[in-house]
Each structure stands twice: as C-alpha cells, then as structure tokens.
Amino acid sequence: MAEQSLTSRSLNHIEKLKAAYAERLESEFRRLEILSSRLEKHPSCEDALNELHSALHTLAGAAGTFGFHSLGEKAREIETIVAKNLPEPPEEADIPAKWLSELRDAHAADSQGQSEEAVEASPHTIAAGSPCLWLIERDHLLASYALSQLTSFGFRVYHLDDAAALKTSNNPKPDLLLIDHHALQHEGPEPQAVWQALLDDFQCPIFFTGAEESFNARLEALRAGAQGYFAKPLDMIRLASHISQVIRTEDSEPGRVLIIEDDWELASHCQSILEQAGMQVAVLEKTDQLFETVSEFDPELVLMDLWLPHVTGAELAALLSQTDRWAHLPIIYLSAESNSELRNQALLRGGDAFLEKPVDMGLLVRLCTARILRLRELERTRNRDGLTGLLKHASIKEALQMQWQLAQRRPQTFSVAMLDIDHFKAINDTYGHSVGDTVIAAVGTLLRQHFRITDKLGRYGGEEFTLVLPDCDADQARKLVNRLREDFADIKFTSDGAPFTCTLSAGVADNHQFPKDTAEALLEKADQALYRAKRDGRNRVVRASDQQAQGSS
C-alpha cells in the first residue's frame, strides 16, 4: 500500500476519526440488538454466541481507543463471560440477562463526558530514513488512528489489511511489525504455526496487539513469534516510546570486544571471525596499557588468555574488577588449562566463562553475542529512566565526563545541550501528574527519533534533559535542537477533552568555543544559556555567549 504520512492529514484528523467511530457504533448496536433477539429465542445457539463474542471483542479493542472507555471495559467484561460458553455452549448460555442495556448505559456515560489523554501533530514530512513500521490491522478506523499517532513521532508507517499480505507486500523493509493478533483469517487448531510461517522471514522486532489482557493472550502471542504484546485500547504514548527504544536501542551498535592474547595468530583469527560477525574488535599489545585501552575503546567484553607474559588473565580480571566502571565487564578466558582447581580460582578472581583451545569459532561468536546483550540489558535496567528510556542523571553526567576525557586524548568537537519543558508546573497543576508524565515521555520519544544512536540523551531531572553530541559543534547542535523544539511545539495534547500544546527552551555549548572548560563547566555554560532562553521569553534555543536566540516566543 502507498505510504501514509502526516503531510495529508489536518489538525482535526483524530477528531474526525472519533466522529466516524461514533457513527459506526450505531450500526454496532443494531447488530447487537439482532443478536440479542436471536439469543432470547435460542440461548445456546453456537453461531449467535460466536458472533456475539466477535462483536464484543471488536468493541473491547476499539471503543477505549476513541474515548469510549466505559463501553470498552463493559464489552471486555461481557466478552470474558461469553468466552466461557465456547466452544461447547450449555443449554442455557450463562451471560447477563441485561448485557445489552449494560452496554448502552456504558455508552451513554461515555457520551456525557469523555476523558482522554492523547496527542496529535501538525502535518510535517517524515524523513525517508526514519524507522519503518508495518501496521497490520483489519479495523480501518483503528489503523488510521494508530497511523496518525505513530507518524506524529516520526515513524514511517505502512498499513496492511490482513496478515496474509505480509508475504506479498512490496513496502520497504520494516524495522518493526505491529500486528493485531486477530488479523489472521485462519480456521484451525494451531494458528501459532500459521503465524510462525508468515513471520519466519522477518528478523525485526514483532509486537502483537489484542483486546484481551490475559496470560493466555500473551502466551499465544509469544508462541506466534511476538516479542511484545500490547492490550487495546492502545496507550499510544507508551507504545511509541517502547517502539522507539526497541528500534533505536544500542543493540544495533556493533559489540565491542577487546582481545588480550600473546598468540598473535590466534588473536588475529579471533579478530577476523568476530569482525565478520559484525563486531568491533581491538587487540591489546601491551598489558601495562590495559586501563588506557579500556578507557578509550570502552569494551563490552574482554577475551583473553589465562596465561600471559609476566601476568595472568586472572590478575588482569581482578584489576578491572577494582574499578567500578569495569567491575561488571564480561570476561571470557581462552585457555588449554585442564586443571579444574586453577580454572575455578581464575573464575573466582573475575571472569565469566572458559573457552578451551583450540577455539570453536562458532561458539565464540554466540558466547560473545550473548554476554554483550546481557551486559546491555543490565546497563539499561540500571542506567535508564523508566518513564523516558533515556539515561538517568548520574549516567548522563558520566557520559559527558567520558566524552570530555576522550576529547582530551583525541581532539574532537562535541556539544552539550540542556532542555527544559516550559511552564511544566502549570501543566501538572492544570492537568495532573499523569498528563505531565505523558508530556515528559513524549519528549523522550522525540529525542530518540531526532538524534543519532551515538548521541547520549539523558533525563537530567524532572522536566529537564541533557544531550551530549559527539562530532557536533554548537551551531549544528542549535539547529538540531531547534528542529526538535519546532516538532514538539506542533504536538497537540488533550486531557478531558481540553487540547493544549507545550514548548521547549534549550541552551547549547561546545568544547571548541570553551577549550579550557571542564565537563562540568561546559554543562554549566549550557545551563546558563538555557536560563537566558527562559528569561528572553521561552520557546527558543540559545547558544552560550550568543546575544540572540533561535526560535520564537
């Protein structure tokens, strides 16, 4: 299908979708009335119960998305009851006698005062290099709504009507699949096998969506090949944030392996095999340069011989473990040592595993990959802010310090930016902290979409963010941050039917303009520029030492 982008959408697009869904509800209730009449005459009619279950399932998934939360919850409740009567209906189906009137009451309550938290964005062009999503959803209104929301965060989204189209679509290769679990038209006892056949060729992350929030629904999605499951109605802010984190995760960076091995032929062979597997490899030639090398190369795994000239691998591991930064660095020993006591002593002093010589190169690649992924997951859990997925306060400051130290050894221009959401206290006071969290999460998602994987992005605290941008001077940084500022100002948030927008202010500084400043001093310069942006009217980006700001009040 043709690419759908926000360039063809107006600011009131989501409101039009909601109005269209409200009209569709009228026909849904007419359908339910017919089913109610059939079940009154034949309470155990299998066809009628199956049709009712399907109708309730659709309501449970879609109603909340368009602001009919009470209706969606009531439909889910009744759907669960109806499901217990399938596939062998009793003589008298055990469903509430007033199920239809309960649905109508829920619909009426929603119509009197809908409460929602959503976003939409002004039209803007989605860059060709933006992450590509395939959205498989049979409900066109739901698909249009999800597409509009996801494109507002800079994703390219392609809609497929049915799961069967996964095998025939000519769309650009997806970075992620977002699939309605019921988008598969298959009758049979093992739909998981059909899903697996359809998804076998896709190497990207796969998320399923469904109207059921249950253990069985999640298990079925897992067995079908999904890495994640999101219950409808979809929390689009949370979903967009999670997609952004998965697609832009550091797992897409090559793993960094440091080899310490005095057999240069073996070291060279291991390096060649690991580089062919997509990893970045450095070889340490002199063990007394250990700390300088790990500081500059920043390895995620050390591969080393147990016995080295003048020092043992276990001693090097013990030295690394004495430094907090490297205490959890995975270490794999290469050794022909058969003495189990010596091997155990080496592991106790530091180290994760042994690979015996001659080395099984296939096992080497798999072991390095697994250890690096485990380290990254550990660091994400420890260093990442739960709401935004960005680095925490201490971690972004550490990233800045490491970037500054690297620039001292190898001249490189980098920038520091400080961002702040304007009038954030008023947002919390007016709309509540949950809406404030939504705004903060939206900033985090936009940051990941606008900046490179090599850029370090952090939540400094509250509504304030810090960026460390390598190979980027202050002029470039100001343009990049200003583009972010403009896109964020285009997002329209709503709460309890009241739309509002937010703006950002920012300050930037680089080490080229302030070559004698420490990392902390550069951060202070950026913070002072941010303060000036606030003082001069907000909604602008100021470069340290500039007299004028870029942006508008």
Side-chain angles (χ1 to χ4, degrees):
M1 295 182 69
E3 179 178 0
Q4 310 255 352
S5 73
L6 278 178
T7 54
S8 63
R9 300 178 183 277
S10 63
L11 280 173
N12 63 353
H13 179 67
I14 289 177
E15 292 304 321
K16 290 181 178 179
L17 287 175
K18 290 176 181 176
Y21 183 76
E23 290 181 9
R24 194 176 88 179
L25 276 178
E26 295 301 319
S27 62
E28 292 286 347
F29 272 104
R30 285 195 295 272
R31 176 188 178 192
L32 291 173
E33 286 174 353
I34 295 172
L35 286 172
S36 178
S37 298
R38 288 173 61 186
L39 286 169
E40 283 180 8
K41 297 176 182 177
H42 306 285
S44 61
C45 177
E46 186 174 348
D47 288 341
L49 285 172
N50 276 310
E51 192 174 344
L52 176 59
H53 181 264
S54 176
L56 291 170
H57 183 85
T58 300
L59 268 181
T65 301
F66 295 104
F68 297 92
H69 298 289
S70 297
L71 177 60
E73 290 172 5
K74 179 56 68 174
R76 190 188 305 277
E77 176 187 323
I78 302 173
E79 178 202 2
T80 302
I81 297 173
V82 173
K84 293 177 180 178
N85 291 272
L86 303 173
E88 297 180 1
E91 292 185 5
E92 288 287 333
D94 184 21
I95 57 177
K98 297 182 178 180
W99 62 267
L100 183 56
S101 62
E102 289 177 0
L103 288 173
R104 286 196 177 281
D105 289 344
H107 182 211
D110 286 325
S111 299
Q112 288 174 4
Q114 295 181 18
S115 176
E116 58 180 314
E117 294 171 13
V119 297
E120 73 179 273
S122 299
H124 64 279
T125 302
I126 305 301
S130 299
C132 176
L133 312 183
W134 286 12
L135 172 66
I136 298 86
E137 172 61 65
R138 294 169 67 182
D139 187 320
H140 280 224
L141 272 178
L142 274 179
S144 186
Y145 177 84
L147 189 148
S148 182
Q149 295 280 17
L150 290 170
T151 50
S152 72
F153 286 101
F155 298 111
R156 288 180 297 143
V157 185
Y158 297 84
H159 175 220
L160 307 180
D161 287 312
D162 189 83
L166 286 165
K167 287 291 188 182
T168 59
S169 175
N170 294 319
N171 291 330
K173 183 179 178 181
D175 295 301
L176 184 138
L177 298 179
L178 184 63
I179 306 173
D180 175 33
H181 201 192
H182 289 267
L184 181 64
Q185 296 185 12
H186 169 75
E187 295 183 4
E190 295 184 355
Q192 291 91 347
V194 181
W195 275 119
Q196 289 168 5
L198 285 171
L199 300 174
D200 187 55
D201 295 334
F202 293 93
Q203 303 302 315
C204 62
I206 299 169
F207 291 169
F208 274 47
T209 65
E212 301 169 47
E213 177 61 283
S214 67
F215 172 83
N216 287 335
R218 292 183 177 277
L219 182 60
E220 287 177 11
L222 176 69
R223 289 174 174 173
Q227 287 102 311
Y229 179 88
F230 289 84
K232 298 177 180 177
L234 298 174
D235 181 337
M236 297 306 300
I237 296 285
R238 176 171 167 263
L239 177 61
S241 177
H242 196 73
I243 290 173
S244 179
Q245 290 183 54
V246 168
I247 290 178
R248 301 298 296 271
T249 180
E250 289 84 351
D251 292 348
S252 57
E253 290 184 8
R256 298 183 301 279
V257 179
L258 176 64
I259 298 177
I260 307 175
E261 168 63 63
D262 64 333
D263 183 336
W264 294 110
E265 289 185 355
L266 176 60
S268 179
H269 186 46
C270 289
Q271 180 178 17
S272 176
I273 293 296
L274 292 173
E275 286 178 343
Q276 287 178 21
M279 300 184 197
Q280 210 174 347
V281 183
V283 178
L284 178 65
E285 297 182 5
K286 297 180 180 180
T287 54
D288 61 357
Q289 295 177 346
L290 174 68
F291 290 109
E292 292 86 344
T293 302
V294 295
S295 294
E296 183 165 345
F297 183 60
D298 191 21
E300 296 173 292
L301 182 139
V302 176
L303 189 65
M304 65 179 167
D305 198 338
L306 184 57
W307 305 109
L308 295 159
H310 314 299
V311 67
T312 69
E315 288 173 331
L316 293 182
L319 288 174
L320 288 172
S321 68
Q322 293 172 7
T323 306
D324 289 342
R325 178 71 181 89
W326 313 113
H328 301 288
L329 187 62
I331 296 172
I332 298 175
Y333 294 118
L334 302 175
S335 178
E337 179 60 63
S338 59
N339 187 311
S340 60
E341 184 177 348
L342 291 175
R343 290 164 65 114
N344 290 339
Q345 288 177 1
L347 289 174
L348 288 171
R349 298 189 70 179
D352 293 83
F354 270 92
L355 270 181
E356 294 187 4
K357 297 179 181 179
V359 178
D360 180 333
M361 292 300 167
L363 179 58
L364 172 67
V365 171
R366 292 193 298 273
L367 195 56
C368 289
T369 301
R371 289 294 192 274
I372 289 172
L373 289 176
R374 185 184 300 175
L375 175 71
R376 290 178 175 182
E377 185 60 35
L378 175 64
E379 291 189 341
R380 266 198 296 274
T381 302
R382 187 178 60 208
N383 299 329
R384 298 279 169 175
D385 170 61
L387 180 60
T388 63
L390 305 181
L391 292 171
K392 294 179 181 177
H393 177 91
S395 299
I396 189 63
K397 291 194 72 174
E398 181 182 5
L400 171 59
Q401 183 64 31
M402 290 183 67
Q403 182 62 48
W404 182 85
Q405 289 174 349
L406 179 62
Q408 303 309 299
R409 294 191 299 271
R410 189 176 61 204
Q412 177 190 43
T413 299
F414 71 91
S415 292
V416 183
M418 292 289 289
L419 286 72
D420 187 85
I421 302 173
D422 296 327
H423 301 297
F424 186 72
K425 184 178 183 301
I427 294 171
N428 271 340
D429 291 345
T430 304
Y431 305 106
H433 288 277
S434 63
V435 175
D437 285 350
T438 298
V439 174
I440 289 173
V443 176
T445 302
L446 282 175
L447 281 169
R448 284 191 300 275
Q449 291 297 92
H450 278 72
F451 291 90
R452 305 163 296 180
I453 290 176
T454 52
D455 296 327
K456 303 303 180 186
L457 316 172
R459 184 181 177 192
Y460 197 73
E463 71 276 18
E464 199 168 31
F465 302 83
T466 301
L467 319 181
V468 181
L469 313 176
D471 296 313
C472 181
D473 64 27
D475 284 334
Q476 294 170 313
R478 183 168 60 177
K479 291 176 182 177
L480 291 169
V481 175
N482 196 60
R483 192 175 307 150
L484 170 80
R485 179 193 65 80
E486 292 171 344
D487 287 350
F488 182 68
D490 281 342
I491 293 178
K492 184 169 69 176
F493 298 85
T494 63
S495 178
D496 293 331
F500 68 94
T501 58
C502 304
T503 59
L504 290 170
S505 297
V508 298
D510 68 25
N511 65 328
H512 179 73
Q513 188 175 7
F514 304 102
K516 296 182 180 180
D517 276 12
T518 63
E520 193 68 32
L522 281 172
L523 188 65
E524 180 62 26
K525 289 284 197 315
D527 197 45
Q528 290 172 358
L530 167 61
Y531 176 77
R532 192 161 73 250
K534 294 279 191 182
R535 184 193 63 196
D536 292 347
R538 297 180 172 82
N539 192 21
R540 61 192 66 233
V541 182
V542 170
R543 195 181 76 169
S545 299
D546 280 355
Q547 296 301 314
Q548 293 184 340
Q550 182 172 344
S552 58
S553 56

